[in-house]
Protein backbone atom coordinates (compact mmCIF):
# COMPACT_ATOMS: atom_id res chain seq x y z
CA UNK A 1 0.00 0.00 0.00
CA UNK A 2 2.82 2.37 0.87
CA UNK A 3 4.56 1.73 -2.45
CA UNK A 4 1.31 2.28 -4.34
CA UNK A 5 0.93 5.69 -2.70
CA UNK A 6 4.56 6.52 -3.54
CA UNK A 7 4.01 5.58 -7.21
CA UNK A 8 0.84 7.67 -7.32
CA UNK A 9 2.70 10.67 -5.92
CA UNK A 10 5.49 10.23 -8.47
CA UNK A 11 2.95 10.04 -11.30
CA UNK A 12 1.17 13.14 -10.03
CA UNK A 13 4.51 14.93 -9.76
CA UNK A 14 5.45 14.06 -13.32
CA UNK A 15 2.08 15.25 -14.57
CA UNK A 16 2.35 18.50 -12.59
CA UNK A 17 5.90 19.06 -13.88
CA UNK A 18 4.77 18.60 -17.49
CA UNK A 19 1.90 20.99 -16.91
CA UNK A 20 4.21 23.61 -15.38
CA UNK A 21 6.67 23.25 -18.27
CA UNK A 22 3.77 23.85 -20.64
CA UNK A 23 3.12 27.19 -18.91
CA UNK A 24 6.88 28.02 -18.92
CA UNK A 25 7.27 27.56 -15.17
CA UNK A 26 9.76 24.72 -15.46
CA UNK A 27 12.01 25.78 -12.59
CA UNK A 28 9.31 25.08 -10.00
CA UNK A 29 9.54 21.24 -10.19
CA UNK A 30 13.32 21.40 -9.74
CA UNK A 31 12.87 23.73 -6.78
CA UNK A 32 10.39 21.32 -5.16
CA UNK A 33 12.64 18.36 -5.96
CA UNK A 34 15.52 20.05 -4.19
CA UNK A 35 13.38 20.39 -1.04
CA UNK A 36 12.44 16.71 -1.23
CA UNK A 37 16.03 15.58 -1.68
CA UNK A 38 17.14 17.82 1.19
CA UNK A 39 14.47 16.20 3.39
CA UNK A 40 15.59 12.68 2.43
CA UNK A 41 19.23 13.52 3.13
CA UNK A 42 18.32 15.12 6.46
CA UNK A 43 16.29 12.07 7.43
CA UNK A 44 19.14 9.72 6.53
CA UNK A 45 21.70 11.78 8.45
CA UNK A 46 19.49 12.44 11.46
CA UNK A 47 18.10 8.96 11.97
CA UNK A 48 20.89 7.00 10.32
CA UNK A 49 20.59 4.10 7.98
CA UNK A 50 20.91 1.02 10.20
CA UNK A 51 21.27 -1.48 7.37
CA UNK A 52 24.31 0.22 5.88
CA UNK A 53 25.94 0.87 9.25
CA UNK A 54 25.60 -2.80 10.24
CA UNK A 55 27.10 -3.92 6.93
CA UNK A 56 29.99 -1.48 7.21
CA UNK A 57 30.75 -2.45 10.79
CA UNK A 58 30.81 -6.17 9.92
CA UNK A 59 33.12 -5.49 6.99
CA UNK A 60 35.48 -3.50 9.18
CA UNK A 61 35.48 -6.16 11.89
CA UNK A 62 36.22 -8.96 9.41
CA UNK A 63 39.35 -7.20 8.18
CA UNK A 64 41.02 -7.12 11.60
Amino acid sequence: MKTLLRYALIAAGIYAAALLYHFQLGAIPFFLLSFYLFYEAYKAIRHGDTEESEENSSLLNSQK
Side-chain angles (χ1 to χ4, degrees):
M1 181 67 182
K2 191 174 183 180
T3 57
L4 182 62
L5 178 63
R6 186 171 281 184
Y7 288 142
L9 287 174
I10 290 172
I14 290 172
Y15 177 75
L19 189 66
L20 287 171
Y21 274 111
H22 178 71
F23 292 112
Q24 296 182 354
L25 298 171
I28 294 172
F30 289 110
F31 186 64
L32 296 176
L33 180 64
S34 68
F35 276 115
Y36 172 72
L37 293 176
F38 178 78
Y39 167 74
E40 288 293 326
Y42 176 77
K43 187 170 67 170
I45 291 170
R46 181 76 173 159
H47 300 292
D49 194 1
T50 57
E51 294 176 8
E52 288 184 14
S53 63
E54 290 175 4
E55 290 176 4
N56 290 340
S57 64
S58 65
L59 287 174
L60 292 175
N61 290 335
S62 66
Q63 293 177 354
K64 289 183 179 178

